[in-house]
Amino acid sequence: EKGNYRHFMQKEIFEQPIVVAQTLQSYVRPFEGKVALPDFDFDLSTVNRVTIVACGTSFYAGMVAKYWFEQFARVPVDIDVASEFRYRQPVLEPGGLALFISQSGETADTLAALRHAREEGQTIAVVVNVPTSSMAREADLLLPTHAGPEIGVASTKAFTCQLSVLAALAANLARAKGRLTEDEEREIVEHLREAPEAMNQALNHDEDIAGMAHLVAPARDVLYLGRGPDYPMALEGALKLKEISYIHAEGYAAGEMKHGPIALIDDLVPVIVLAPSGPLFEKTVSNMQEVRARGGKIILISDAKGLAEAGEGCVATIEMPEVHPLIAPLVYAVPVQLLAYHVAVAKGTDVDQPRNLAKSVTVE
Ligand code: M6R
């Protein structure tokens, strides 16, 4: 079933352009230039607050979505990991939308959080990959991802499919809130349609990235930095590396570096920076300079423009295509997945079945 691939995770990373395209088919009407959602009996324009709850990688997809919902739809968003949400007595106003994100649809904490939110009078939206799962059955608004079965314990294709659905949901919400002109909507549809091809271009760097594994494999600690939606992407990059290579890794908002973690930096610490060119780029570059001044070894993931400006002095660079901010997280997911994968292969760990981890966490 792995075909020519060595591991399921590798196969699933490479499947992403196809499954993202498949998923997006249900959420865009390209000829009309419109985003769309499955039919349900609910008026998105009434949503005054979204509460997002998930675990692990699905939680990071939710964190990216928070930036989008706020930026495009101007709707306030609250987000938490399910294990905290269900016990912290969250204040949920009647009529709110609670959004649960899960590959399996069976994660115990997320399911319990969903039931709690229902008791508190929330409308339940679920982004889920397994259509027969408990969460799918209990949803008012079912938003399926079409990633197909994900076998590798480290989530990859389910994550980028979640991002695709969440981007479309952000656009739907923005339209319902009167924040999107027809032209803007058409543009978003175009950008979403470009995502699979941009992900293909990112996958073309597979061999270069394999060649960088030796920069990370010997490290004891690795930092991932990003700003805006690239901050949750940094968290996701660090989680992927931890899970399958067993190297301690942390993701940080680049601006938080000087509030503590910079103390860790020396010439043994690789620092992976995710920074597409754009309004936040200069800020991240100055954080990179702080790292470099302390001997940190930077691997910069950016587009041609960003690399021309800030690539010098990095131990390695990975060039991403220049893309709209809405699809950047889908594209930047690819190099962080590949880097984690190749480092794990270099270390000889069990990539598809990492120690201590289960694919679906059905106990608390
Ligand atoms: O099935 P779910 O999306 O609810 O699972 C949530 C987490 O357990 C999951 O994302 C986990 O963090 C993965 N191993 C990440 O690669």
Side-chain angles (χ1 to χ4, degrees):
E1 296 163 63
K2 276 182 284 207
N4 292 329
Y5 294 102
R6 201 167 148 194
H7 297 100
F8 281 107
M9 182 185 181
Q10 186 189 27
K11 173 172 177 262
E12 289 162 0
I13 291 172
F14 276 86
E15 271 171 10
Q16 290 178 109
I18 291 174
V19 293
V20 162
Q22 251 165 34
T23 298
L24 282 170
Q25 262 177 22
S26 313
Y27 295 90
V28 296
R29 300 214 183 97
F31 298 115
E32 295 157 49
K34 298 255 174 249
V35 286
L37 292 177
D39 271 340
F40 41 62
D41 189 15
F42 180 73
D43 180 5
L44 278 180
S45 71
T46 62
V47 173
N48 289 326
R49 170 170 294 274
V50 181
T51 303
I52 305 177
V53 182
C55 299
T57 288
S58 298
F59 172 70
Y60 297 142
M63 271 182 85
V64 172
K66 173 181 164 80
Y67 287 87
W68 290 338
F69 293 176
E70 289 177 345
Q71 188 190 337
F72 294 107
R74 306 298 300 147
V75 172
V77 177
D78 185 25
I79 174 159
D80 210 345
V81 290
S83 54
E84 285 302 311
F85 175 85
R86 59 184 289 204
Y87 295 119
R88 78 172 151 86
Q89 297 181 278
V91 180
L92 298 165
E93 306 285 340
L97 182 71
L99 173 62
F100 299 84
I101 307 166
S102 177
Q103 187 285 126
S104 61
E106 301 296 347
T107 301
D109 280 319
T110 311
L111 187 57
L114 181 160
R115 289 173 179 160
H116 177 71
R118 179 177 295 291
E119 276 165 24
E120 297 286 310
Q122 305 296 291
T123 298
I124 309 296
V126 171
V127 176
V128 69
N129 195 45
V130 179
T132 51
S133 60
S134 307
M135 283 182 225
R137 283 196 305 270
E138 296 190 26
D140 301 316
L141 278 55
L142 180 59
L143 302 165
T145 48
H146 302 295
E150 190 180 61
I151 311 292
V153 165
S155 183
T156 54
K157 62 175 181 170
F159 175 65
T160 44
C161 286
Q162 288 167 348
L163 290 176
S164 314
V165 172
L166 293 165
L169 180 59
N172 273 282
L173 202 55
R175 184 179 59 198
K177 287 281 172 190
R179 297 259 172 201
L180 209 59
T181 65
E182 278 191 12
D183 285 348
E184 286 166 339
E185 184 170 358
R186 188 177 305 277
E187 236 174 78
I188 286 184
V189 169
E190 277 312 303
H191 291 306
L192 287 173
R193 292 201 351 120
E194 287 160 10
E197 178 46 32
M199 294 172 86
N200 262 323
Q201 288 178 38
L203 284 167
N204 286 337
H205 292 282
D206 181 44
E207 269 182 41
D208 312 340
I209 295 172
M212 293 170 199
H214 72 280
L215 297 169
V216 176
R220 207 187 60 178
D221 307 291
V222 179
L223 284 181
Y224 285 75
L225 302 180
R227 279 177 182 261
D230 289 294
Y231 162 43
M233 296 308 294
L235 295 169
E236 167 61 5
L239 179 64
K240 284 290 88 91
L241 190 72
K242 271 184 267 212
E243 284 191 291
I244 60 171
S245 76
Y246 316 143
I247 297 173
H248 170 241
E250 287 201 59
Y252 258 96
E256 269 292 296
M257 276 293 287
K258 49 168 109 37
H259 300 286
I262 201 159
L264 294 172
I265 302 288
D266 62 20
D267 55 5
L268 298 175
V269 180
V271 180
I272 322 293
V273 179
L274 290 85
S277 62
L280 299 174
F281 187 71
E282 297 304 327
K283 301 270 175 206
T284 309
V285 171
S286 57
N287 302 130
M288 280 170 57
Q289 277 152 359
E290 294 154 11
V291 169
R292 201 175 294 135
R294 286 157 185 86
K297 292 201 172 66
I298 297 173
I299 298 179
L300 175 59
I301 310 176
S302 184
D303 47 39
K305 219 159 141 193
L307 293 183
E309 192 182 322
E312 216 173 298
C314 297
V315 292
T317 59
I318 310 173
E319 185 179 325
M320 294 292 100
E322 230 164 279
V323 290
H324 186 267
L326 187 64
I327 67 161
L330 282 111
V331 179
Y332 281 64
V334 172
V336 293
Q337 294 165 348
L338 286 173
L339 186 64
Y341 174 74
H342 287 296
V343 171
V345 169
K347 296 200 80 169
T349 58
D350 187 345
V351 171
D352 285 330
Q353 295 271 301
R355 68 183 184 203
N356 308 342
L357 294 175
K359 180 65 186 159
S360 180
V361 183
T362 52
V363 290
E364 197 179 325

